[in-house]
Amino acid sequence: MTPTPESPFQYKSDELHCEGVPLAKIAAEVGTPVYVYSRSELERAYKSFDAALEGMPHKVCYAVKANSTLGVLAVLAKLGAGADIVSYGELFRWQKAGGDPGKVVFSGVGKTESEMKAALAAGIHAFNVESEEELYVLDQVAQSMKLRARVSLRVNPDVDAGTHPYISTGLKTNKFGITMEECRELARRASKLPGLEIIGVDCHIGSQLIKTAPFADAIARLVALITDLRSDGVHLTHIDIGGGLGIDYGKGDVVPSPAEYGAAVRDALAPLAALGVTLVTEPGRVLVGAAGALVTTVLFRKRNEAKHFTIVDAAMNDLMRPALYGSFHPMKPVAQPGRPDIVTDVVGPICETGDFFARDRNLPELAQGELLWIGAAGAYGAAMASNYNTRPRVPEVLVSGSTYTVIKPRETYEQLIAGERLA
Ligand code: LLP
């Protein structure tokens, strides 16, 4: 078992820091709530994932949806990452951050014609096509532009990822991909369409997977499909296995390291070794999750007959994961960790019972005005934030060594209503 790498968030003299910067300093200068990311952890995570696939021809296409802030994208683009996008908006951001459109794969069950056109014009690497109808529309769009779209067919391998039902995507009952049965016939037909070049197959079976077996099962199915298609005369050069590798949320789960994941992938891909097939991966959470935290201030405490509540200035609109999936995020006081615990619900100011970050959590008792660190929030935190309750989206800060940059300022009230008008 590979030891978990040390978090970039560590106490130094009882003060929680991100790399060399005290979180209290960021909170004082930028305000709370605030997302704080560690540049060195983003870099470490990318390099360790990439190194885990060493020896196999491969591309790491970061799933932009996990965190699409330009300052974060730019760190990954600079390391040579490609991108997995699900909308034109994500391609727009990727290019604004200096990302190479030639390293982009475009996933998603519902691409519009205008999105297809824009992606073709930008010269993306491949479209992950998820239905027969999408295939024919893409063929027409490409022909109208006198181009050929490179296509990877997303199959639904019907394997159970063993994760939360909302983020499990590789089962027959999910909306994603083309069935295994249909795919062989469709690939043969599609290889004759003039606007398309069928280069590969792909799948994405779910997110926050904490076992390698479902990945291996899904890959085995894709390998069989590629082999069958060879005998039909269709030679594919690209196998995309999606993202999905989980991270440690401090709940006691044992999560495979990238190296363990890489070993499982290597074994499962062995039958293709001699065929010159490039592996494409679409990791999101594992590249950015541990690098980020949400720092929030305790506004009030109160107790009723049943419970103790710690009310903080962040809310479900800033970090939706607990409300939406019941997810667990680690929490620590920013100062003086060594205090007796109490059992408390950590909740936000929004008028919904679902607006909580933790329920019945053992935490050192926090005083009014104290700072609380909510960890493992770099993935699907800021990216899923909304303006619900007319709350401006919070600032984002990138720490590098002993300095930090505000990569996204707090939204202003004027920005919140920009473009709106009275009838
Ligand atoms: N590729 C495709 C086609 C995807 O749909 C996803 C995530 C990924 C790659 C990246 O998966 P990752 O490596 O991050 O697990 N909001 C949820 C997660 C939704 C994941 C959606 N698809 C959460 O907060 O847990």
Side-chain angles (χ1 to χ4, degrees):
M1 180 103 320
T2 327
T4 320
E6 192 167 81
S7 165
F9 297 95
Q10 295 290 338
Y11 287 104
K12 292 173 195 166
S13 325
D14 277 358
E15 285 281 339
L16 198 56
H17 285 57
C18 177
E19 300 190 24
V21 182
L23 293 177
K25 175 178 158 72
I26 296 173
E29 293 172 1
V30 182
T32 62
V34 55
Y35 273 104
V36 180
Y37 309 119
S38 154
R39 183 180 190 121
S40 68
E41 172 57 23
L42 292 171
E43 292 174 344
R44 189 209 58 76
Y46 177 82
K47 287 178 189 163
S48 91
F49 191 89
D50 190 41
L53 305 175
E54 212 182 303
M56 296 178 271
H58 69 272
K59 291 190 169 83
V60 178
C61 294
Y62 165 62
V64 171
K65 64 164 78 75
N67 187 316
S68 51
T69 307
L70 295 191
V72 170
L73 296 181
V75 172
L76 296 169
K78 209 168 166 197
L79 293 169
D84 166 50
I85 59 161
V86 289
S87 67
Y88 173 68
E90 290 188 347
L91 179 58
F92 173 77
R93 281 186 170 276
W94 179 245
Q95 293 191 265
K96 288 279 180 201
D100 180 354
K103 292 184 184 168
V104 168
V105 295
F106 192 167
S107 301
V109 290
K111 306 171 190 79
T112 64
E113 285 186 33
S114 67
E115 288 182 310
M116 291 176 184
K117 272 189 191 139
L120 277 166
I124 67 160
H125 179 62
F127 290 83
N128 291 339
V129 169
E130 302 218 18
S131 62
E132 182 171 4
E133 291 190 348
E134 179 188 347
L135 199 64
Y136 295 134
V137 171
L138 181 60
D139 173 51
Q140 290 302 312
V141 170
Q143 284 194 57
S144 75
M145 296 171 76
K146 304 203 169 10
L147 291 172
R148 283 184 89 193
R150 282 176 293 274
V151 166
S152 158
L153 294 172
R154 175 166 178 182
V155 298
N156 184 330
D158 197 26
V159 298
D160 186 358
T163 183
H164 190 285
Y166 285 11
I167 54 177
S168 178
T169 46
L171 283 171
K172 267 196 182 132
T173 47
N174 303 137
K175 66 182 173 181
F176 301 97
I178 300 162
T179 62
M180 295 292 295
E181 300 77 51
E182 205 190 344
C183 199
R184 185 165 173 188
E185 176 52 27
L186 199 58
R188 275 192 298 185
R189 261 184 284 147
S191 62
K192 301 197 176 68
L193 295 173
L196 306 182
E197 183 190 347
I198 309 299
I199 61 166
V201 287
D202 74 281
C203 71
H204 169 77
I205 56 172
S207 198
Q208 184 55 16
L209 270 69
I210 56 168
K211 296 255 178 326
T212 56
F215 290 114
D217 290 350
I219 294 169
R221 293 182 149 228
L222 295 193
V223 166
L225 181 60
I226 289 178
T227 315
D228 287 346
L229 283 166
R230 279 215 163 217
S231 62
D232 298 342
V234 181
H235 289 243
L236 302 181
T237 55
H238 161 131
I239 180 170
D240 180 339
I241 61 170
L245 182 58
I247 61 166
D248 184 1
Y249 280 100
K251 222 173 83 177
D253 290 326
V254 180
V255 182
S257 66
E260 286 157 339
Y261 166 84
V265 169
R266 189 173 283 104
D267 285 350
L269 285 178
L272 297 182
L275 302 183
V277 176
T278 298
L279 167 68
V280 178
T281 56
E282 303 168 357
R285 189 187 317 265
V286 71
L287 300 190
V288 296
L294 178 62
V295 179
T296 181
T297 301
V298 175
L299 295 175
F300 310 113
R301 291 93 33 89
K302 67 179 177 186
R303 187 181 287 283
N304 64 19
E305 304 83 70
K307 291 240 178 201
H308 181 277
F309 296 96
T310 304
I311 303 159
V312 296
D313 65 355
M316 64 190 277
N317 71 298
D318 304 312
L319 174 64
M320 245 180 118
R321 303 192 68 259
L324 194 55
Y325 316 112
S327 330
F328 185 102
H329 281 264
M331 290 181 186
K332 292 174 183 174
V334 166
Q336 296 156 359
R339 275 175 272 167
D341 281 1
I342 59 157
V343 178
T344 186
D345 278 20
V346 179
V347 300
I350 285 183
C351 309
E352 298 210 20
T353 302
D355 181 25
F356 66 88
F357 293 115
R359 286 188 157 153
D360 297 322
R361 182 73 63 92
N362 279 299
L363 268 183
E365 184 167 13
L366 296 160
Q368 205 180 359
E370 255 201 88
L371 296 171
L372 175 69
W373 172 89
I374 304 180
Y380 306 109
M384 290 175 76
S386 79
N387 291 122
Y388 187 41
N389 276 213
T390 305
R391 291 168 52 90
R393 267 169 299 179
V394 311
E396 295 170 58
V397 161
L398 183 67
V399 172
S400 184
S402 55
T403 60
Y404 73 86
T405 311
V406 179
I407 56 174
K408 186 174 172 191
R410 189 179 309 280
E411 243 170 357
T412 64
Y413 290 101
E414 286 304 322
Q415 283 169 338
L416 276 184
I417 57 165
E420 289 186 36
R421 60 177 80 147
L422 304 178

